[in-house]
Amino acid sequence: IFDLGREMPKLEDSLKSESNKVSGCASQVWLRLETYKKDGVERLSFLGDSDALIVKGLIAIVGSIYDNMPLSDISNVDPYKMFESLELLGHLSSQRANGLNSMIKKIQDFPNVQVCWQFKLHLLSKLVEINRSIVVYWVKLNKKFKIT
């Protein structure tokens, strides 16, 4: 795990923001999550960093699971199976396990937030269209029946 942490590239200081910070970790942890399209499929872009070398190693493992994954697949993945197969879960302190859970939760919640906002924007645009149609109709009625 320490070797994986040493090999991880550092996150730029500008990306170590509050919005990228993972709460619930004993160490400082930042995950920069974004989406991009490849072959028409929306995917997750994952970068992470920590001030603790062992946590950077855990981030590297989490990143190997989720980076470049289609957003539609994220909720179907059980990342704990990877940690079980590596026989790591039993060796994590309760604080490190809580931090790992917080990282995974932030990732699993990410696409849901994106989908939620996209849906809200879609609804808002539909409401604007409906209101515009009502106004146009009302103006036509006013002209036709000379309503004041």
Side-chain angles (χ1 to χ4, degrees), residues 72-78:
S72 58
D73 292 349
I74 289 175
S75 60
N76 300 326
V77 171
D78 182 358

Side-chain angles (χ1 to χ4, degrees), residues 37-107:
K37 266 195 175 173
K38 182 179 179 185
D39 300 325
V41 176
E42 200 76 22
R43 297 179 178 274
L44 180 71
S45 170
F46 175 100
L47 290 175
D49 202 355
S50 176
D51 60 348
L53 197 54
I54 190 168
V55 176
K56 283 182 81 156
L58 294 174
I59 292 169
I61 295 169
V62 171
S64 73
I65 297 168
Y66 289 109
D67 192 31
N68 301 312
M69 179 177 283
L71 293 183
S72 58
D73 292 349
I74 289 175
S75 60
N76 300 326
V77 171
D78 182 358
Y80 299 102
K81 284 186 180 179
M82 169 72 88
F83 284 89
E84 286 173 4
S85 71
L86 296 171
E87 299 180 0
L88 289 176
L89 287 179
H91 299 285
L92 296 178
S93 69
S94 61
Q95 285 183 323
R96 297 287 183 231
N98 285 339
L100 177 62
N101 289 333
S102 295
M103 283 189 273
I104 291 169
K105 180 167 178 17
K106 184 173 180 90
I107 293 165

Side-chain angles (χ1 to χ4, degrees), residues 132-144:
R132 189 176 300 131
S133 297
I134 291 170
V135 168
V136 168
Y137 184 72
W138 179 252
V139 169
K140 286 180 181 179
L141 279 177
N142 280 339
K143 286 180 180 177
K144 185 174 183 177

Side-chain angles (χ1 to χ4, degrees), residues 115-127:
V115 170
C116 179
W117 276 109
Q118 288 170 357
F119 180 70
K120 286 178 182 177
L121 288 173
H122 175 73
L123 277 179
L124 184 60
S125 70
K126 291 298 179 191
L127 285 173

